[in-house]
Amino acid sequence: MKHEETIFSGFGGQGALFAGQLLAYSGIAEDLHVTWIPSYGPEMRGGTANCTVIVSEEEIGAPIISNPTAAVVLNIPSMDKYEPLVKPGGLLVVNASLVEKKSARDDIRVLYIPASDIATELGNPRMANVVLLGALVAATGLLSLETIGAQLAAHLSERQRKWLEPNLEALRKGAELAQA
């Protein structure tokens, strides 16, 4: 049975909420049950932002997550907060470009992805969230990359349309690194 409880977390402006939305939209597109709950500080940029996403084949009883099966962390404060909470056997996806700290846990799978570096090489450091989303999806097999790409195309604002192809490449690069 497919059932994944994921937390995306980073500074405001890093796209943690958007990555979570893409995962949620993709779950809906694949006819799964989904919840998405954002949480962010009062600052528009620079404050902490996170969201919880549950994607499941079965109805979701409660949208609150205490111990996620996966966490995607874009910065050090997010690593400090969510690494201890991931369920044993779960997955932690780390933006290794900004988080040099290594996980002390040996009961979870940890992927260190240089997401900010990859995004910068592709032309926009703000695509690190999509790199990490690609890694998460490839590592869990929860949804297809094609569905994520289609939802990216459907939900990228008109102002951001010029970044569609680089974002799709960011998604692919993250997936490749997760499978390496």
Side-chain angles (χ1 to χ4, degrees), residues 14 19 72 74 95 97-98 113-120 124-134 167 170:
Q14 284 186 299
V72 176
L74 288 121
N95 181 0
S97 300
L98 301 180
I113 308 291
S116 294
D117 295 338
I118 292 167
T120 299
N124 188 344
R126 294 181 60 203
M127 296 186 301
N129 60 336
V130 177
V131 174
L132 295 175
L133 178 59
N167 267 287

Side-chain angles (χ1 to χ4, degrees), residues 90-108:
L91 173 68
L92 179 66
V93 182
V94 179
N95 181 0
S97 300
L98 301 180
V99 181
E100 294 179 6
K101 176 182 176 181
K102 299 296 182 197
S103 174
R105 295 185 58 186
D106 60 5
D107 63 340
I108 61 173

Side-chain angles (χ1 to χ4, degrees), residues 31 50 56 58 66 74 78 91 102 105 127 129 143 145 170:
D31 292 323
N50 68 72
S56 181
E58 296 184 0
S66 299
L74 288 121
S78 299
L91 173 68
K102 299 296 182 197
R105 295 185 58 186
M127 296 186 301
N129 60 336
L143 302 165
L145 279 178

